[in-house]
Each structure stands twice: as structure tokens, then as C-alpha cells.
Amino acid sequence: MKMTKILSFVLVLVMLASCFSFVGCENKEEAIEIKLWVSTTEGVSDLFMEQVEAFKAANPSYEFTVTIETVSEGDAGTEVLKDVATAPDMYCFAQDQIARLVQGGALAPLGVNASATVTANNDAGSVGAATVGEKIYAYPMTSDNGYFLYYDSRYISDEQAKTWEGIVEACKAAGKKVAYNLGEAWRGSGFAFAQPVGGGAPLCTSTWTYSADGKNPIALNDTFNSDNGVIAMKALNALATSGVWVDSTAFTGTAAVVDGVWASANAQGEYGDYMKATKLPTFTVDGKTYQTGSFSGYKLIGCKPQSNEKKAEICNALALYLTSEDAQLERYYEFGWGPSNNAAQGNQDVQGDPLLAALLEQNVYSVPQGVIPNDWWTEAVALYTACAEVGKTEADFRAALATYEEKVNAMIVK
């Protein structure tokens, strides 16, 4: 009997000792594994892994492993929402997906300190793109998905490039064209989103609210069918009927083109050393001058909600690091990505990049692209195309705007 009690006591001691050993039982922490999706651009995953390793070296108290996979930022939101439970812990995505990602429970809101850091360190447009309601849900990574004006300084002076009227005059004198793709709603919406010079809200707005599952538009705040909408259509018509406009993004035969940083090789090939870039021009309607607006796009890093608090802490700390000044500058130098970080934007090389400088200048007058029904793009094109025709009157513009309003309101699911 005594021997049995002694053996039982020894067994208890052995179990307790194992629990407090390096290979313990209840106190042993679960290994933290993080999956991250990044751009499919060649070389991006390698640079991100280098940045992850640098973060780990700087934060030895965080013990975790990272697996990086490549998924297009444009497809990330759709893929994540297929199954949030098995989706990656962190992912890079385009900002137009943020509303449905929030509604689908795929993004964890930032804490107070992280929100303050993001707000202080990034440009207002990118912070706005990362915000839904009153909360920030993602970390800004780039501010470079927008468009501006390329022009050939042999034919268009810097002063003429400031206004559509000046550009039209210069193109007529040189026998050249100005390419502005009004038949594609993303670029063509620049006149609708124009702002009064000197300050003021955009002429028109079109903001959609989606159902909780992110599948259906359930409300719309659209002011296109208004006196301001008529102003925008008058400006669009003036350019379209100028005799020098082409509905294109091709540079051949042009002296000015509205496009983004991705068109730099084409611009350089046509304009050579005379290539210049600046924000979009102003225009004047009925004696009042407006700055042409634009859609802007941003890339973000999101973290999905976690039940493991330590894992959530590491994911958010890593996201802050991957969107820091140094990390954004590394990606600028490697891939030409335009930073959202204020300090990175102030970098001498970024400031000296004429295309990014033009884009950042235009972003001040841009509207972040939200979640928009596919059919909206079709109806916007129909509106712009109708108003671009020769001989249109104000009554015609109002009729086209009324038709547009009827069509877009029909997209709301009740």
C-alpha cells in the first residue's frame, strides 16, 4: 500500500515537472503561423519576405512564421470573401473592395493607437480610402492608381497646360490631338467630379451603400441630375466638340493625353525628352472656373479578425511595418509604386519623379473609388457619350441626366 502511494506521488511530480519544462503541456504556447497575400507583380513577394524578416529581426519577442502567396490586389477581396475562415491573415487589396470586406467580417478595425499612427503618417486620400464609417479598417500602402495630364512641351506651353481652353488652342495651332477617354467612365468622370477653383465640394457625387453581405446596392446618393451636372456636361461637350479631341489613350498624333503612370513608356516614346506631366487642367463654364477632378485608387493591407490576441497583435504590428516610410520607399525604388506615407512622398527622389509628382498633385482633387455596381459604369458611359455629341443644348443635357438618374436608381435592390 505504501509502495502504491509512493509511486502515485512520484507520477504526479513527473507530470508537474513536464508541464513546467521547455516542452510543457498546458503552458506551451501554440506556434503562430501567418499567411500573407501580396501582388502578383514579379519580385514583389521576394521583397515582402525580406521586409518580414527585417521586422522579425527588429522584434525578437514576436515568434511566428510567415507564408507569402501571390494574388492580384483586384481579386483579393473576392477570394477572401469566398471563405473568410480559411482566408489569409493579412492581404493586399484595392480600396474599392473595402466596404464589402468590412460587411463580410473580413477586416479587423485598427485600434486607437494604430489609427492615430496611420492618420498622422499617410495622405488624407489614402486614409479616407481605408475608412468605413468612423473606423479605419486597413493600412494604406500606395497612392498611385489615378490619372493626370501628359503633354508635349514642343507644342503646349506650361501655361497652356493649365487649362483645357489653352490645350485646345495649342493643339489647333500645332495640328495635334488631345486624347481623353470620355467613353470610359473611370477617366470620363473627371468633369463630374470637378471642384470650384478656390475650394468647394465636387460638382457631383455618386456614393453607393451595400447590403451587409456586400452583394447588393441598397441605397444611393447621386447628384448628377442637377444644375451642377449640367455644368459638368457643358464642359465635357466643349472639349468633345473642339475639333481636336479623340476618345482614346493612344499617344500617336497627340500633344496631350490623360492617363496614369503605367503609360510612361508610351508617352516617352511619342514625346521623348519633351514629355511633361501635371495635374488635370481647369475649365471655365458660364464665367466660373473649375478644377477637373478624377477617380483615385489606393492599395491597402488588411488584417482579418483573430481569436488569438497575440496573433492579432503581431499581424497589426507587421502591417504597420510593411506600410512604413522605409518599406514604402523600398517598393518605390524597386517597382515604382507611389507611396501613401507623407514622409516617403517628401523623399527627394519621389518629389523628383515628374509622374508621381503630377499624380500626387491631382490626388488632391480626386474622389476615392468606392464599391460601384458594374452597371453604373455602363450608364455613366452612355451619359458622357450622349453629351459629347455636336449640337447638344442645355435641354439635351438635362434630358440625358434625367435618363441616367432613372437608370442608376433602378440598380438599387429594395
Side-chain angles (χ1 to χ4, degrees), residues 152 154-156 167-178 242-246 251-256 270:
D152 189 330
R154 287 174 294 186
Y155 309 110
I156 299 176
I167 290 171
V168 167
E169 178 186 19
C171 287
K172 286 182 177 180
K176 294 289 184 178
K177 299 292 185 179
V178 51
S242 65
V244 295
W245 168 74
V246 288
F251 283 81
T252 304
T254 68
E270 185 70 18

Side-chain angles (χ1 to χ4, degrees), residues 236-398:
L236 183 152
N237 182 266
L239 176 63
T241 60
S242 65
V244 295
W245 168 74
V246 288
D247 191 16
S248 171
T249 56
F251 283 81
T252 304
T254 68
V257 177
V258 175
D259 214 336
V261 293
W262 52 85
S264 60
N266 292 335
Q268 190 74 47
E270 185 70 18
Y271 301 162
D273 293 339
Y274 298 96
M275 181 191 79
K276 286 192 173 183
T278 186
K279 68 175 178 60
L280 295 179
T282 64
F283 61 86
T284 300
V285 171
D286 298 332
K288 191 167 183 177
T289 303
Y290 303 86
Q291 168 60 51
T292 307
S294 59
F295 267 124
S296 60
Y298 304 86
K299 300 292 178 61
L300 310 168
I301 295 181
C303 301
K304 79 174 185 181
Q306 301 286 345
S307 58
N308 183 322
E309 292 185 4
K310 189 65 175 180
K311 186 174 184 178
E313 178 185 342
I314 293 174
C315 285
N316 283 280
L318 178 57
L320 270 177
Y321 182 86
L322 292 174
T323 55
S324 65
E325 174 188 357
D326 289 345
Q328 290 196 23
L329 281 176
E330 286 177 349
R331 293 191 291 271
Y332 164 71
Y333 285 121
E334 189 73 20
F335 305 109
W337 291 8
S340 64
N341 180 275
N342 294 322
Q345 288 180 0
N347 173 272
Q348 183 176 351
D349 292 330
V350 174
Q351 287 285 313
D353 186 319
L355 304 186
L356 282 182
L359 178 60
L360 294 174
E361 187 180 13
Q362 178 60 35
N363 276 352
V364 176
Y365 308 104
S366 68
V367 174
Q369 182 186 328
V371 182
I372 299 173
N374 289 335
D375 289 344
W376 179 87
W377 302 99
T378 300
E379 295 307 326
V381 167
L383 170 65
Y384 304 153
T385 301
C387 293
E389 295 174 359
V390 174
K392 292 293 181 177
T393 65
E394 181 171 323
D396 294 323
F397 298 146
R398 291 190 184 277

